[in-house]
Amino acid sequence: RRGGRLSLDIGYKHQYLFMTGMTSSGFPVEFWLGCGKYSKPQAALSGTLSYTMNLLDDALSINFQTYGKRLWNIVEYSGFLSEIIGGNYNLQNMLLSGNGYNYGVTAQIMKNSGRFTGWISYSWGRALRRFDNPAYPYIYPSSYERQHELNAVASYKIKRWEFGGSFIFASGLPYTPISSVYFLNQQLLVKYAERNSKNLSPYIRLDLSVSFNIRIKGRFRDGVNISVQNATAYKNQMTALLKIKDGQYSYAPTKLVIPVLPSINYYCNF
């Protein structure tokens, strides 16, 4: 059809270097591993069906996409930061290996021309894992899974000024909650519930920026940019931690100490 394009992409890939870490507990600690001692080469069979439609002389674009992916030899980390600090640590015991399934849909609207440009998109997706470990007999959501995600980006240009903003609303990451805590011979023992059976609160963030171009000569451009990350100071949850006080325990989410991050910089493009 005129103004529309339908495409189908199918691919099969191998990956010999992969990343894992402590995302199941929310800590921003990740590391890279190569296949060999701890994992076989990862493989993925994927398919994507997309439809793009251009309107108003390409000033407006609409895109719909659905995808599916079958994964083999996926590795996820099941340990916690405290286990690394402790004396008896074995990396192989902390790695879960198995297969996975990713699938979902995405819709996006883009404004491509004019002083005001930007796009907005919504996606729904699942990332499921089945591990080769008798202690994990079910299918679990991946530690990276965000079922719902809404993104919006906008930019407005007038003379030497450029104003920009981006907004993100996403489902909270899965984590493994604690079901019980008890002491035995003055040692703390923790029993966890089903893997990734709870989610943190939704992730919400608004970023704003303004730029002023001091000089524009051909390809050369320089100026000053001021930006604010998380301008609404929304306290996004990063992880859930165990807290013990007066013999009572709680497993409460933790948040960023500094929720707002402003910055100023000078840029030069040529």
Side-chain angles (χ1 to χ4, degrees):
R1 258 171 58 179
R2 183 179 180 182
R5 183 176 70 254
L6 182 67
S7 62
L8 173 65
D9 297 316
I10 298 176
Y12 181 77
K13 298 180 180 179
H14 279 89
Q15 183 168 309
Y16 301 90
L17 183 66
F18 50 90
M19 183 176 64
T20 186
M22 301 175 190
T23 51
S24 61
S25 59
F27 288 107
V29 180
E30 296 176 326
F31 48 87
W32 290 89
L33 288 174
C35 62
K37 182 178 180 180
Y38 298 116
S39 175
K40 299 177 182 178
Q42 296 183 353
L45 175 63
S46 61
T48 302
L49 179 65
S50 60
Y51 178 76
T52 301
M53 180 170 52
N54 298 318
L55 304 172
L56 304 176
D57 294 328
D58 296 335
L60 190 68
S61 300
I62 301 176
N63 177 266
F64 300 95
Q65 185 180 92
T66 181
Y67 65 90
K69 183 180 290 187
R70 180 73 164 88
L71 306 166
W72 291 273
N73 302 322
I74 300 301
V75 172
E76 286 197 9
Y77 191 81
S78 64
F80 295 88
L81 186 63
S82 59
E83 294 166 326
I84 290 183
I85 299 174
N88 187 14
Y89 179 79
N90 187 326
L91 175 62
Q92 189 171 5
N93 295 336
M94 303 300 172
L95 297 178
L96 296 174
S97 179
N99 302 324
Y101 311 86
N102 292 1
Y103 54 88
V105 294
T106 300
Q108 184 181 56
I109 300 177
M110 296 171 285
K111 187 177 184 301
N112 305 312
S113 60
R115 288 185 176 180
F116 177 82
T117 58
W119 54 268
I120 182 171
S121 70
Y122 168 77
S123 62
W124 174 88
R126 298 302 311 270
L128 304 176
R129 303 290 182 262
R130 180 186 288 277
F131 302 111
D132 301 327
N133 190 317
Y136 298 88
Y138 307 111
I139 295 179
Y140 304 93
S142 167
S143 301
Y144 298 91
E145 181 187 76
R146 291 190 185 275
Q147 288 194 41
H148 304 275
E149 186 165 346
L150 175 69
N151 289 272
V153 175
S155 175
Y156 182 77
K157 298 180 181 180
I158 179 170
K159 296 183 179 179
R160 294 178 179 266
W161 293 91
E162 296 182 19
F163 302 89
S166 63
F167 176 76
I168 302 174
F169 177 90
S171 300
L173 291 173
Y175 73 95
T176 304
I178 291 176
S179 60
S180 61
V181 175
Y182 53 95
F183 288 91
L184 180 63
N185 295 330
Q186 297 183 344
Q187 290 188 349
L188 177 65
L189 301 178
V190 178
K191 182 179 180 182
Y192 291 92
E194 189 173 309
R195 179 174 173 83
N196 290 346
S197 56
K198 283 194 174 183
N199 291 74
L200 299 174
S201 296
Y203 183 87
I204 302 174
R205 198 179 86 198
L206 174 66
D207 299 339
L208 300 174
S209 68
V210 56
S211 300
F212 178 74
N213 296 310
I214 300 174
R215 290 171 293 181
I216 303 177
K217 293 183 178 180
R219 295 183 178 181
F220 179 84
R221 184 180 64 170
D222 70 335
V224 177
N225 171 268
I226 299 175
S227 62
V228 180
Q229 183 174 310
N230 196 24
T232 60
Y234 184 82
K235 296 182 179 180
N236 287 299
Q237 297 178 355
M238 301 303 297
T239 183
L241 293 178
L242 175 65
K243 298 180 181 179
I244 300 178
K245 185 177 181 181
D246 298 330
Q248 301 294 323
Y249 86 92
S250 62
Y251 198 57
T254 60
K255 302 175 182 179
L256 287 174
V257 178
I258 304 176
V260 180
L261 184 62
S263 65
I264 181 171
N265 63 81
Y266 168 81
Y267 59 86
C268 179
N269 299 326
F270 54 88

